[in-house]
Amino acid sequence: MLVSFVIPCFNAIDKIGRCMASLERLHFDPALYEALFVDDCSTDGTDELIKKTCTQVENWRFIQLERNSGSPSRPRNKGIEEARGKYIYFLDCDDEILPDALNELTRLAEETDACLIRSELLAENGKQRKRMNQMDSWHSALTKKEKIELIIKKQSTVVTSFVKADLLRKHSIRWPEHLRMGEDTVFLATMLAHAEVVEYLASPTFIYFKIPSMTPASTQRYGRRELSDHLEVWSSTQQLLEPLGINYIQVRLNVGLRVSIESLIFKNRGDVNVETFDKFSRFVRTHWAILKKFKYSRRINEVLLSIQSGEYAAFLKLTKPRLLIAGHDLKFIEDATPELSEYFDIRFDKWQGHAIHDEVQSRECLEWAEYIWCEWLLGNAEWYAKHKKPRQRLVVRMHRMELARDHGSNMDLDKVDAVVAVSTYFFERLLEKYPNIPRHKARLMHNYVRVDDYDTTWHPDRLFTLGIIGVLPSRKGYKKALEILKELKKHDVRFNLKVFGKRAEDLAWVAKNPTEMAYFSDCQTYIEENGLQDSVDFVGHVDIKKELARQKVGYVLSVSDPDLDFPGPESFHLAIADGFAGGGVSLVQHWPGAEYIWPENSLGKNQDAVVDEVIKFANEEPSFQTASQLGMSFLRENYNVSKFSVEFNCLFLELI
């Protein structure tokens, strides 16, 4: 047996096929190589697929570990133990070997008696293939030291090395199983330190796939464990190469250190404690004479200086990505600042209107930002999409009103990384209104509620007090609320209605609209004709979190028109959340999409259903309290601010 492929596998059922297919396309005598697929206890059927395939292909073997090891290192070491070939080729299960690779590698190895061969690769990102790991200055007259130094300086430490099995066994070289990051660097350095003959093949031997996947953002994080691994890797590699006269810190660490700091900024798990930071700081100070000469951006240098000076608090602040939140009305996002600040360094660009802003300020904010969140798909989104830089990530969140405007059509979608809708129904409406937005850029992220900020003081009068939060414009259904009140008073005269928000005459655009004013005039006439004057109270624009309890509101009504035209019905309607969070019950006269957002038992098909539900609760206080508590639990589970901030952070992690 001439060559043994060692291929670690774990939950790769959706990508291992291309690796297997590439092995079948090899222009190499099948009797001269074997493929060892070492499964790390997959749970998605990968093991069964490999096992079945290996029974059909000669010299393909399935090996499975007794328990999951958590990294590819143990499977690779098992492969070393089981390999029967003179040479071992390490290949990842999501990469492809090129058809002539083994012919070229074995020819070079036999001609030169090479212990180790490094080759070029093709990097595939789904759009193009790029040739990498080239070393143009390589030639046969180079010394061993010069060759190794060139490999360390010019090549990435990809796992795909072609190595004599005897080299690994003679020197007990194994993949470091305790490391979860950087293990390939240590393994390569160990081989280089012991190899007598090192060669380079000036052509690609495999395709490295770097295509974005659906890997959860939580697995793409960088924190205490990863940093500790890197510190060990850097020190170990320095020690391995020093006897060869090679200073790894000087030759290569400019890349590794930059990547580590960038990961701490953009993938930070937030768990780097003082102890780990102190280790990092000591390492940096030890090698500061070299590190201070590295050419980094101002941003990276700021972080590096905080590490060198041992300023932990400054380090924590500097290793948060810079998030800019821009928009004219930030009521749906600004309140989450304390939670979002755990992940981001935040600034605001507050616009004076949908398309009115201080452009000088916006440009200053843009220059500072790494992430941009445009609250509302309006002029702010157009402006930032036009001016953002390639290094920045831009997310736009749409609520409802934007579907009546054309900003989504005018926005440069190539510059926008994601567009967020606040509800399932409006996710589809967004794509329907703006077909220029590709589905893969659309995201769903619900609003949040600070449940614990509400006063939930109980009073028996709550059983007879309705509330409607916001009656402008007419589509909010003020007239329906009055009709519900009229029906309820037939059963008990104690029923009354509290109206929160501004009156029609308080908003200029409503006051100037004859149709709108006619509607609210009709509402006033209805109140007078039905003797509701003493039962309807305009509370005004107040702090809802306190006033619902103070006004003894038990039921918050959501009776908006079920409009199917654009912009459509309610997108989320936070008033419903206010009702539950304030210790009451929210009742929804069904509008399209409400069923995807709110509890089924809070939805009524028509006004009669809402009336019946209120009467039941008024007569059965325990039922009211149960419904209220269930609503509160629903909010805590689905719409709490901590969950929102985690989803917010994960979205930007996904877009890195």
Side-chain angles (χ1 to χ4, degrees), residues 6 33 88 92 155 189 316 329 352 388 391 417 486 521 525 537 553 571 579 596 614 618:
V6 172
Y33 80 91
I88 294 177
D92 281 344
Q155 287 203 326
L316 292 180
D329 181 359
Q352 291 77 50
K388 67 156 278 196
R391 65 176 174 81
D417 296 285
K486 175 188 173 184
S521 177
T525 300
D537 181 15
V553 173
S571 60
Y596 301 117
V614 173

Side-chain angles (χ1 to χ4, degrees), residues 73-118:
S73 292
R74 177 63 189 132
R76 289 175 184 139
N77 288 336
K78 182 67 175 176
I80 293 172
E81 296 168 10
E82 298 283 342
R84 297 176 295 195
K86 179 180 179 180
Y87 301 100
I88 294 177
Y89 189 100
F90 295 99
L91 184 67
D92 281 344
C93 65
D94 55 350
D95 293 333
E96 293 181 17
I97 182 78
L98 292 174
D100 291 320
L102 284 194
N103 291 314
E104 297 179 28
L105 288 164
T106 54
R107 185 184 305 115
L108 180 60
E110 295 293 291
E111 289 175 355
T112 62
D113 195 28
C115 301
L116 173 67
I117 298 176
R118 296 289 290 178

Side-chain angles (χ1 to χ4, degrees), residues 289-403:
I290 296 173
L291 303 187
K292 68 181 180 180
K293 297 177 183 178
F294 292 165
K295 303 298 182 183
Y296 291 144
S297 68
R298 180 179 177 182
R299 179 80 165 97
I300 299 297
N301 275 327
E302 287 178 345
V303 178
L304 184 57
L305 285 171
S306 73
I307 299 167
Q308 189 271 339
S309 60
E311 297 176 9
Y312 181 58
F315 166 81
L316 292 180
K317 180 176 175 58
L318 288 167
T319 51
K320 291 179 180 179
R322 295 169 174 173
L323 170 67
L324 175 65
I325 299 175
H328 79 288
D329 181 359
L330 304 179
K331 63 186 176 185
F332 295 119
I333 186 71
E334 192 171 18
D335 185 57
T337 300
E339 285 73 18
L340 293 177
S341 293
E342 294 181 15
Y343 304 103
F344 306 99
D345 184 7
I346 303 175
R347 287 187 186 179
F348 294 94
D349 179 17
K350 296 185 179 181
W351 287 40
Q352 291 77 50
H354 298 176
I356 305 171
H357 67 123
D358 181 340
E359 186 158 351
V360 172
Q361 175 182 297
S362 294
R363 288 189 180 277
E364 290 176 356
C365 290
L366 178 66
E367 190 63 32
W368 173 85
E370 290 159 343
Y371 297 155
I372 305 163
W373 175 277
C374 280
E375 187 74 1
W376 307 97
L377 201 169
L378 296 167
N380 58 331
E382 279 191 68
W383 190 89
Y384 274 101
K386 180 179 179 180
H387 294 96
K388 67 156 278 196
K389 305 176 190 303
R391 65 176 174 81
Q392 297 169 322
R393 295 293 176 264
L394 171 60
V395 176
V396 178
R397 181 161 71 155
M398 180 213 72
H399 294 271
R400 175 189 177 276
M401 62 179 291
E402 298 96 310
L403 294 188

Side-chain angles (χ1 to χ4, degrees), residues 143-355:
T143 65
K144 176 184 172 182
K145 175 196 170 187
E146 289 171 335
K147 288 181 177 181
I148 294 174
E149 196 167 65
L150 198 57
I151 290 172
I152 294 297
K153 186 175 183 179
K154 295 292 186 180
Q155 287 203 326
S156 59
T157 56
V158 289
V159 302
T160 315
S161 292
F162 189 80
V163 59
K164 272 186 179 179
D166 283 348
L167 174 70
L168 303 181
R169 294 177 179 135
K170 178 181 178 181
H171 299 284
S172 300
I173 300 173
R174 295 295 185 270
W175 292 83
E177 297 181 13
H178 67 289
L179 295 175
R180 291 295 182 269
M181 187 163 283
E183 75 283 353
D184 49 355
T185 299
V186 175
F187 185 72
L188 175 60
T190 307
M191 290 192 296
L192 290 171
H194 291 92
E196 294 180 9
V197 181
V198 179
E199 289 297 335
Y200 160 65
L201 180 63
S203 62
T205 61
F206 74 104
I207 304 172
Y208 171 66
F209 284 87
K210 210 174 179 182
I211 300 174
S213 67
M214 296 304 290
T215 304
S218 60
T219 66
Q220 303 170 9
R221 307 298 293 275
Y222 190 96
R224 182 174 60 205
R225 172 63 186 270
E226 293 76 18
L227 177 58
S228 295
D229 280 359
H230 270 149
L231 290 172
E232 179 180 337
V233 167
W234 299 337
S235 297
S236 298
T237 305
Q238 176 78 350
Q239 293 171 7
L240 284 164
L241 297 180
E242 269 183 337
L244 303 177
I246 298 172
N247 189 319
Y248 174 77
I249 304 296
Q250 187 170 353
V251 171
R252 183 68 183 183
L253 196 63
N254 64 316
V255 176
L257 183 60
R258 174 182 54 79
V259 171
S260 178
I261 292 176
E262 287 176 344
S263 297
L264 283 168
I265 295 172
F266 298 110
K267 300 180 182 180
N268 202 334
R269 189 180 288 108
D271 65 346
V272 176
N273 55 18
V274 174
E275 181 183 2
T276 307
F277 173 77
D278 286 343
K279 290 180 182 177
F280 196 6
S281 186
R282 286 195 298 273
F283 176 89
V284 169
R285 288 197 298 271
T286 299
H287 302 285
W288 186 242
I290 296 173
L291 303 187
K292 68 181 180 180
K293 297 177 183 178
F294 292 165
K295 303 298 182 183
Y296 291 144
S297 68
R298 180 179 177 182
R299 179 80 165 97
I300 299 297
N301 275 327
E302 287 178 345
V303 178
L304 184 57
L305 285 171
S306 73
I307 299 167
Q308 189 271 339
S309 60
E311 297 176 9
Y312 181 58
F315 166 81
L316 292 180
K317 180 176 175 58
L318 288 167
T319 51
K320 291 179 180 179
R322 295 169 174 173
L323 170 67
L324 175 65
I325 299 175
H328 79 288
D329 181 359
L330 304 179
K331 63 186 176 185
F332 295 119
I333 186 71
E334 192 171 18
D335 185 57
T337 300
E339 285 73 18
L340 293 177
S341 293
E342 294 181 15
Y343 304 103
F344 306 99
D345 184 7
I346 303 175
R347 287 187 186 179
F348 294 94
D349 179 17
K350 296 185 179 181
W351 287 40
Q352 291 77 50
H354 298 176

